Amino acid sequence: YNIPIGSSLDGPQELNDLQRGKGYYEKTMRGYEIARAHGLLVRFITTFTSHSVKFKEDIFNFYLEKGLTLKLHPCLPSLKGDNPEEWALDPEEYGELLIYLLDKYLENVGRIEVMNIDHLCKCVFTGRGTVCTFVDCMGDTFAVGPDGGIYPCYRFVGMPEYVMGNVYDHPTMADLAQSDAWKRMHQFKEFVDTACGKCSHIKYCRGGCPYNAIVPTDGEIKGVDPHCIAYKMIFDEITNRVNEEMFGSAGGMENMFQPQSMKPSGSGIMSLMLKKI
């Protein structure tokens, strides 16, 4: 079925095992080799923390040299630990990381795939979210837990307050819509419409991930995804660069629709925007 196997890998062995425990790297790479030997596609997610972001070049080069696809997510404050901010990646640092990876990706087009950058570029190009973090997922995306519980997303699985129903009860969409979890998710959507109404990126950002916004505040809707700063940084960067490439101006995507002399396009950010993903 060409479905990739997913696992976590945070870069070179020393750095990875510092974050995930001694021996994790060897076990993971051993499993990776077994899967590859059987013709299976394997992809990894890399968690960037307040510590590992200092070694972003080492991590990028690791993936480049290994011929692996790079997909990342930022470490959020822990919901369980005594020191929740210990490993959390600051939103501005995350934005700087994404811009760094954009630069490195463009330097190595054809040699590596950075999935996050692909999706971010496609968001700007199409004017809509192309990955779950940046779309209106309410009512369109569901996850089913081991006990049959239905949740708004896989990230909520195991959290009783986000159960919308159970597959064994054969609920209709109308039934799910009566759940507190469904209503809370739609309240977030309405909040985004107001809070982000004047943002130029609202159509393809949608306030980021509802889980990131809601869960740390015990279900209260107090803001959008805390990485909003990072998203705005990278979306601004992509928008400015595509305008520079096409028109020699970073004045915003609206310039694309003004009569101007178009610059010749080279190998640049448009190559990522037009890439099939």
Side-chain angles (χ1 to χ4, degrees):
Y1 296 99
N2 198 33
I3 298 174
I5 296 174
S7 187
S8 297
L9 190 68
D10 293 345
Q13 183 170 0
E14 182 178 353
L15 180 59
N16 178 88
D17 285 2
L18 175 67
Q19 296 190 167
R20 296 196 175 270
K22 186 176 180 180
Y24 181 98
Y25 179 91
E26 287 187 356
K27 291 178 182 178
T28 300
M29 295 308 291
R30 187 162 59 246
Y32 167 73
E33 294 298 340
I34 292 172
R36 285 290 305 275
H38 286 79
L40 299 175
L41 177 63
V42 181
R43 287 179 177 165
F44 297 107
I45 294 180
T46 297
T47 298
F48 275 88
T49 66
S50 57
H51 173 72
S52 67
V53 73
K54 301 169 188 173
F55 304 94
K56 58 182 181 289
E57 184 173 0
D58 294 334
I59 295 172
F60 181 85
N61 288 336
F62 169 82
Y63 273 86
L64 181 65
E65 292 163 8
K66 292 283 187 182
L68 300 172
T69 295
L70 175 57
K71 183 178 182 181
L72 65 136
H73 71 73
C75 182
L76 292 163
S78 171
L79 298 176
K80 299 178 181 179
D82 295 330
N83 186 6
E85 300 288 341
E86 181 180 6
W87 295 95
L89 184 61
D90 176 78
E92 189 165 346
E93 277 193 292
Y94 181 37
E96 292 169 355
L97 171 65
L98 290 172
I99 293 171
Y100 168 82
L101 291 174
L102 173 61
D103 286 332
K104 297 299 291 184
Y105 195 7
L106 289 172
E107 290 173 11
N108 293 277
V109 170
R111 299 180 60 204
I112 190 173
E113 181 180 5
V114 184
M115 293 182 68
N116 302 65
I117 301 300
D118 283 337
H119 286 294
L120 289 163
C121 288
K122 193 66 74 173
C123 284
V124 175
F125 183 66
T126 62
R128 61 181 180 83
T130 59
V131 67
C132 67
T133 303
F134 305 117
V135 297
D136 275 331
C137 55
M138 298 72 166
D140 294 323
T141 302
F142 301 100
V144 179
D147 62 349
I150 303 172
Y151 300 83
C153 164
Y154 77 93
R155 298 187 72 185
F156 293 100
V157 172
M159 304 175 71
E161 63 271 34
Y162 290 96
V163 174
M164 298 188 294
N166 194 290
V167 293
Y168 292 110
D169 297 326
H170 307 287
T172 64
M173 288 290 285
D175 294 331
L176 298 179
Q178 295 303 310
S179 67
D180 290 340
W182 177 291
K183 293 174 183 177
R184 187 178 296 123
M185 297 296 284
H186 278 267
Q187 286 168 1
F188 176 75
K189 178 178 179 179
E190 293 167 1
F191 178 87
V192 169
D193 288 336
T194 301
C196 305
K198 295 182 179 179
C199 179
S200 59
H201 307 300
I202 185 173
K203 288 184 179 179
Y204 46 82
C205 178
R206 295 302 308 163
C209 176
Y211 176 93
N212 292 349
I214 298 173
V215 172
T217 57
D218 294 323
E220 288 188 60
I221 301 173
K222 297 181 177 180
V224 296
D225 187 325
H227 286 113
C228 169
I229 294 171
Y231 303 149
K232 189 175 189 302
M233 287 173 66
I234 188 62
F235 282 138
D236 281 348
E237 188 73 19
I238 292 169
T239 301
N240 290 340
R241 289 192 189 198
V242 72
N243 278 285
E244 286 283 1
E245 281 186 20
M246 296 186 70
F247 308 112
S249 168
M253 288 293 283
E254 62 271 11
N255 286 351
M256 294 180 68
F257 305 102
Q258 300 298 324
Q260 301 181 50
S261 297
M262 185 173 290
K263 293 177 61 179
S265 60
S267 178
I269 201 161
M270 282 301 297
S271 65
L272 300 182
M273 288 186 158
L274 297 173
K275 179 183 175 184
K276 184 178 180 180
I277 57 176

